[in-house]
Amino acid sequence: SSRREARADPLAVRPKLSAPAPIPRPPPVCSSRQTSERGCAFECALGPMTATLEELKQALVETLESRGVLGQVKAKVRAEIFAALDDEHVPRPEIPRENAVINELIREYLEFNGYHHTVSVFLPESGHPEERQFDR
């Protein structure tokens, strides 16, 4: 019987393993409404992924506004949408001469004031040709 005691179950003598310690997460750098010294509202995305989609959207809008490019981005997106929707294979009806004159005046006004993105939306949307229609 002493032999049996010497042959104890090898699994019974194994030390119990404990669960690994959790990896500490760094605290968030900023909240979505705050900016850092560098003016970047996106540093909060580097912390734990707790920001909601709405918070990330707000941070993006605030950053683009602070850089002064939000309007340009919106105009560019609109222009690209109109360009994508504009089927070049379908012929457009000819623009009446009165409308062509008005469209040229609007284009001239927009270009004179530096509204280049607006022109890029206006021309495809109105069906007005890219080339100038009248000589001065």
Side-chain angles (χ1 to χ4, degrees):
S1 87
S2 62
R3 269 189 149 170
R4 279 194 160 169
E5 290 174 15
R7 287 185 170 182
D9 185 12
L11 296 177
V13 292
R14 282 191 181 169
K16 292 187 178 182
L17 299 175
S18 60
I23 299 172
R25 292 182 177 252
V29 178
C30 66
S31 74
S32 64
R33 301 213 187 281
Q34 296 175 340
T35 56
S36 70
E37 305 81 46
R38 292 182 290 148
C40 177
F42 292 106
E43 286 186 22
C44 60
L46 299 176
M49 298 302 283
T50 58
T52 65
L53 182 60
E54 191 59 37
E55 290 171 332
L56 291 175
K57 179 182 172 184
Q58 184 63 33
L60 176 63
V61 168
E62 288 174 5
T63 300
L64 294 176
E65 280 177 344
S66 70
R67 291 183 180 177
V69 297
L70 183 61
Q72 294 172 358
V73 169
K74 284 181 176 181
K76 184 66 176 167
V77 168
R78 281 188 208 108
E80 291 299 325
I81 289 172
F82 282 114
L85 294 176
D86 187 28
D87 189 0
E88 295 178 8
H89 303 294
V90 177
R92 290 185 172 262
E94 190 171 320
I95 299 174
R97 183 156 175 81
E98 296 84 10
N99 285 20
V101 170
I102 292 169
N103 288 347
E104 273 299 317
L105 288 172
I106 293 170
R107 179 212 305 242
E108 189 172 309
Y109 166 79
L110 294 172
E111 287 177 347
F112 178 80
N113 287 292
Y115 302 140
H116 303 291
H117 295 292
T118 305
V119 171
S120 69
V121 172
F122 172 71
L123 293 177
E125 186 175 15
S126 66
H128 196 71
E130 293 282 334
E131 64 278 348
R132 299 233 177 248
Q133 298 298 298
F134 306 102
D135 285 332
R136 287 194 159 244

